[in-house]
Amino acid sequence: DPVGDEASRRHLYAAANPQHVPPAVILPYKKMGQSASAVMLDASDGRFGPFTGQFFVANYTLSLVMRAEMEWVNGVYQGACHPFRQGFATGLTGGTLTPEGQLFAGGSKRGWPVRGLSAMALQRLDWTGQMPFEFHSLRVKPDGFDLRFTTPVDPATARDPANYTLETFTHHYYGAYGGPEIEQADQEILSATASADGLNVRLVVGKLLPGHIHELHLPGVRDRGGRRLLHDVAYYTLNQIPKP
């Protein structure tokens, strides 16, 4: 069994105990959700939108659905989570995403505090067919990240480092319930380069920290139609830095 104290960190424990597999995607408490429930793979081949192969995670307390995507780096999975849809009628305790591209989610408030106030509900979520301007995915590089979008970015806003912010933080690794974000630090964005098709942006950052969540905001980035990102934040769980 893991034994930890105020000085213990998950990545230090994993380094000392090779049998320990770190979580691929951490969902920051309250920033993303609070009591995750159903995990749903999108195998709809585009019928549910542009996120085929990614995961959707229902949440009980905040009555919402999150999105997560992963990559394989140095022998472990890691990746990012993103906001997706909120405003469901009750606390979500189950769900499924059909091959036809329909997400069904439901549950009840069961006497616990939840954001959705209905005693119980079963709801269906469909894609309208209109492409949002969203993060598609993040991939870590030895010196930063490769960001992929669902629609082409505006080059002028995408190449300005001032339009990005990056913060890192981690948590204690011990048996006590709960735990604050610790070791918060702002990281410098050194450069941003957009691909010719506008679907990718390569960020070079001042520092990557294994064992830390990298919270990336893009408040100033627009697409070629001038739209803001529907959700301008992503949280990347960095277990390993890839080799150059």
Side-chain angles (χ1 to χ4, degrees):
D1 293 334
V3 177
D5 55 24
E6 291 285 330
S8 182
R9 305 288 183 269
R10 187 184 290 274
H11 65 289
L12 300 177
Y13 183 86
N17 298 271
Q19 73 274 23
H20 178 74
V21 179
V25 178
I26 292 174
L27 308 171
Y29 187 68
K30 291 190 178 180
K31 290 180 174 179
M32 283 294 294
Q34 185 181 337
S35 303
S37 54
V39 179
M40 300 165 273
L41 173 67
D42 181 1
S44 69
D45 195 25
R47 297 178 182 87
F48 190 63
F51 305 116
T52 295
Q54 299 187 15
F55 295 91
F56 293 85
V57 183
N59 186 269
Y60 175 76
T61 304
L62 299 186
S63 305
L64 52 78
V65 173
M66 303 164 277
R67 177 168 59 90
E69 37 98 7
M70 293 182 286
E71 59 178 330
W72 182 256
V73 179
N74 298 345
V76 297
Y77 281 109
Q78 60 188 37
C81 59
H82 312 259
F84 184 64
R85 279 292 178 270
Q86 59 182 340
F88 287 85
T90 193
L92 303 182
T93 57
T96 188
L97 208 169
T98 72
E100 292 75 30
Q102 297 175 321
L103 189 153
F104 291 88
S108 71
K109 62 180 182 179
R110 300 181 60 194
W112 295 338
V114 294
R115 184 175 287 172
L117 297 180
S118 294
M120 60 190 71
L122 175 64
Q123 294 174 285
R124 189 185 81 204
L125 184 66
D126 297 298
W127 182 39
T128 64
Q130 298 179 2
M131 186 65 70
F133 178 40
E134 280 275 44
F135 272 112
H136 179 272
S137 54
L138 270 71
R139 295 292 179 262
V140 69
K141 300 298 179 184
D143 57 356
F145 294 96
D146 185 67
L147 285 56
R148 185 164 181 81
F149 299 92
T150 57
T151 62
V153 296
D154 164 55
T157 58
R159 65 181 175 231
D160 185 353
N163 287 329
Y164 305 82
T165 64
L166 180 65
E167 178 188 353
T168 53
F169 62 89
T170 189
H171 302 88
H172 299 294
Y173 185 54
Y174 49 27
Y177 180 84
E181 295 178 3
I182 58 174
E183 300 178 13
Q184 296 98 331
D186 293 329
Q187 305 298 341
E188 185 180 6
I189 306 295
L190 300 178
S191 67
T193 306
S195 61
D197 63 7
L199 292 175
N200 291 72
V201 172
R202 178 76 162 84
L203 287 187
V204 176
V205 306
K207 184 184 292 186
L208 294 172
L209 294 175
H212 288 64
I213 297 169
H214 291 59
E215 180 176 337
L216 179 63
H217 291 262
L218 285 71
V221 175
R222 305 287 185 267
D223 74 358
R224 291 180 182 174
R227 294 185 298 175
R228 298 172 178 267
L229 282 156
L230 189 59
H231 301 101
D232 72 349
V233 62
Y235 303 89
Y236 190 96
T237 300
L238 185 67
N239 293 319
Q240 292 281 330
I241 298 175
K243 300 175 177 62

